[in-house]
Amino acid sequence: MDSQYRTELPELPLITLDTTLSELYRKASPRNAHKNIIQVLCGVNSGLELNSNFPRNAKYLYQDGPFNSVPKKELTADNTELQRSLAIKYLSLIPQRDAFICGNAKVAFFNLDESSEAAKHDRQEVQATIEALDPSQRPQLVFCRGPEMIPDVDEKTDLVAYKLAVDGLQKYPLTIDLETHWFLNTKAALATSGLPTPSAKIIEITGYSPPPDTRCVHCKASEAIYIQSGCVGNRSLWVTRHKQEIIEAIGKHPLPFVVKNQQSFGGAGTYVITTEDEKRELITDFDKEVLPKLLAHVTVVNHHLNPATIIISDMVKDAIGDYGITFFVTENDDPIFLAVSQQMIDDNSAWIGSIINYQEQDELKARFVPIMRQTAAWLRKHGYYGPVGADILETAPRDGENNLNIVDLNVRTSGSLCLPLLRRHFTSRGLHCASSFSIAVEGSRADFLRRWKEDFEAGRMCILSWYEDRTAGESLADLAVGGEGEEELKQGIDKVRAMTKKVTF
């Protein structure tokens, strides 16, 4: 065994959160404060089903990383390796991370597959994560086969709150209508909201993809949801016409600019274009892969939502700060400020984590409260209450110009929401900075706990979510790590990164 390992597992300190999601929901909506609400905190994929009980989203499209970057020929039920990888991230890691801060409320988890052994492993992983919490703040776990099979809704549960619009949730009483919630998270909604955000050109697609043409041999030979490259029917004509419209708009737009899909998560669907070479690469990718997939998913069921809209926005130049603000929109009162953190973005514009300095929060709150209130007022007009994360680029103040620009608005729980709720846990130990991020590591949870025993026992490191994939021989996880200052925190992050692999969603 590596000399850094300890034979005994660490004695983990119980974590007490400053507040929880369930407490924030009660404050945000007094009329629903005494209702029994179950949280559905999973991710979704529109490219392929996550398992036999969790089909792909067909109405509420989300263009995540796999949807945009995986070739359409690989987005099939036969690609079991990709399907399992996505199921682990979307059905276990993401909901675990949010369940960790949920408090004493029901949280629905969906099994990765139907075997009893796998279901047992799913439950054990979640229970091991939440055991680090004070017993009064541990969520009530509800395991289901799929989103249409959540037990006791309408009998023991009054409302369902959710992170993302899942097609199968439309049968339940919800805290907010699915179409409204999906709209509020679109890039076009932000562009037309009147909030301070870069100017944008919106390219909307009219109509929807025709059904497969029975006269086309390629349509008849394939049951794939994607339009086949050799299609000569009406579907191909419709896609080609709209694809060309989008590509021409991108080709004519002067540099630099940003291209965004209508709806995405995990940092996917955002393309920063600064050179002619990058523009040509984007056009090729859109022509061959992104647009054929996206346009094929526009149907009679969802075309009124404009899911294939493409947004071309101005680039924020000379940014001096990249921040993520998290807050809670209330039904009647001021929004509840939670924190401002700095974003960690990789070379592909994907979110890989956040850093927070607790000692700077009062000063940051004073700067960001006005834009937070403005954003909350707009969301409240649409009937929304609940968690929000806004990505904001700051520029140097200039006469007559806004220096805070909302470049993305996530009307849901964000990946950094745990950081303000862990404030006292870290600062009571002299740790005034913290970060949360995702990792992949060889071995089990126990192996990792032993390797970093001193950090866990000191409360410097917390597991927010963990899933050991015994088939692949590795584990995926989310961590929160504290440091005395930013330099010490970055050194701690670098040590962990040196022994693990980065994970994006």
Side-chain angles (χ1 to χ4, degrees), residues 202-318:
I202 300 172
I203 307 169
E204 290 188 349
I205 301 303
T206 57
Y208 52 89
S209 174
D213 194 330
T214 55
R215 296 170 297 176
C216 174
V217 63
H218 295 279
C219 287
K220 286 193 291 185
S222 174
E223 296 180 0
I225 57 173
Y226 308 112
I227 297 172
Q228 303 304 295
S229 58
C231 175
V232 293
N234 293 333
R235 302 180 82 201
S236 178
L237 295 173
W238 186 84
V239 166
T240 299
R241 182 173 75 251
H242 289 297
K243 184 173 67 170
Q244 196 59 39
E245 177 186 349
I246 293 170
I247 289 173
E248 285 181 4
I250 293 173
K252 293 177 181 178
H253 206 282
L255 296 169
F257 59 90
V258 179
V259 175
K260 296 182 180 182
N261 283 137
Q262 172 76 306
Q263 181 71 269
S264 60
F265 69 95
T270 298
Y271 309 85
V272 179
I273 309 301
T274 60
T275 68
E276 289 295 338
D277 285 344
E278 289 174 343
K279 183 191 284 189
R280 282 191 290 270
E281 290 175 8
L282 178 69
I283 287 174
T284 299
D285 187 34
F286 267 40
D287 182 40
K288 303 298 183 184
E289 286 290 340
V290 175
L291 293 179
K293 284 187 288 191
L294 177 57
L295 292 167
H297 284 66
V298 182
T299 66
V300 65
V301 173
N302 64 19
H303 73 98
H304 64 289
L305 298 172
N306 297 316
T309 292
I310 298 295
I311 294 89
I312 306 177
S313 71
D314 292 345
M315 185 178 294
V316 177
K317 298 178 182 178
D318 304 320

Side-chain angles (χ1 to χ4, degrees), residues 287-438:
D287 182 40
K288 303 298 183 184
E289 286 290 340
V290 175
L291 293 179
K293 284 187 288 191
L294 177 57
L295 292 167
H297 284 66
V298 182
T299 66
V300 65
V301 173
N302 64 19
H303 73 98
H304 64 289
L305 298 172
N306 297 316
T309 292
I310 298 295
I311 294 89
I312 306 177
S313 71
D314 292 345
M315 185 178 294
V316 177
K317 298 178 182 178
D318 304 320
I320 61 174
D322 184 352
Y323 300 96
I325 178 172
T326 52
F327 58 97
F328 224 84
V329 177
T330 65
E331 286 185 323
N332 303 309
D333 298 321
D334 254 6
I336 302 168
F337 171 85
L338 295 173
V340 174
S341 58
Q342 291 179 285
Q343 307 278 65
M344 294 192 291
I345 308 294
D346 70 5
D347 295 338
N348 297 313
S349 298
W351 179 86
I352 58 172
S354 298
I355 293 176
I356 189 171
N357 187 323
Y358 295 115
Q359 293 178 314
E360 294 179 351
Q361 290 305 298
D362 289 343
E363 183 267 332
L364 289 169
K365 178 180 179 180
R367 284 162 55 194
F368 285 90
V369 155
I371 198 171
M372 176 188 74
R373 286 174 172 162
Q374 189 178 358
T375 305
W378 177 70
L379 292 169
R380 192 181 294 117
K381 287 180 182 178
H382 292 276
Y384 181 77
Y385 68 94
V388 178
D391 298 341
I392 297 175
L393 290 180
E394 180 184 24
T395 58
R398 296 185 182 127
D399 291 340
E401 289 187 20
N402 176 65
N403 72 319
L404 294 179
N405 293 272
I406 302 174
V407 293
D408 201 11
L409 191 62
N410 299 308
V411 189
R412 55 180 180 257
T413 52
S414 61
S416 62
L417 184 54
C418 63
L419 295 177
L421 308 191
L422 285 166
R423 179 171 184 159
R424 282 202 299 267
H425 170 81
F426 285 124
T427 58
S428 65
R429 292 167 168 81
L431 307 171
H432 299 292
C433 296
S435 176
S436 62
F437 52 92
S438 305

Side-chain angles (χ1 to χ4, degrees), residues 41 87-88 90-102 105-112 118-133 137-144 445 463-468 476:
L41 302 167
I88 289 172
Y90 295 170
L91 302 186
S92 188
L93 286 182
I94 288 177
Q96 270 191 65
R97 185 178 66 196
D98 286 347
F100 190 87
I101 58 173
C102 200
K106 289 183 179 179
V107 180
F109 281 84
F110 305 105
N111 295 121
L112 270 65
K120 180 180 178 182
H121 183 58
D122 294 346
R123 181 178 287 275
Q124 288 173 336
E125 291 287 43
V126 181
Q127 288 177 329
T129 298
I130 67 171
E131 281 176 4
L133 292 164
Q137 293 184 332
R138 292 173 188 169
Q140 304 166 45
L141 307 179
V142 178
F143 281 85
C144 327
R445 185 193 302 249
I463 291 175
L464 305 173
S465 65
W466 190 282
Y467 195 92
E468 181 184 350
L476 301 181

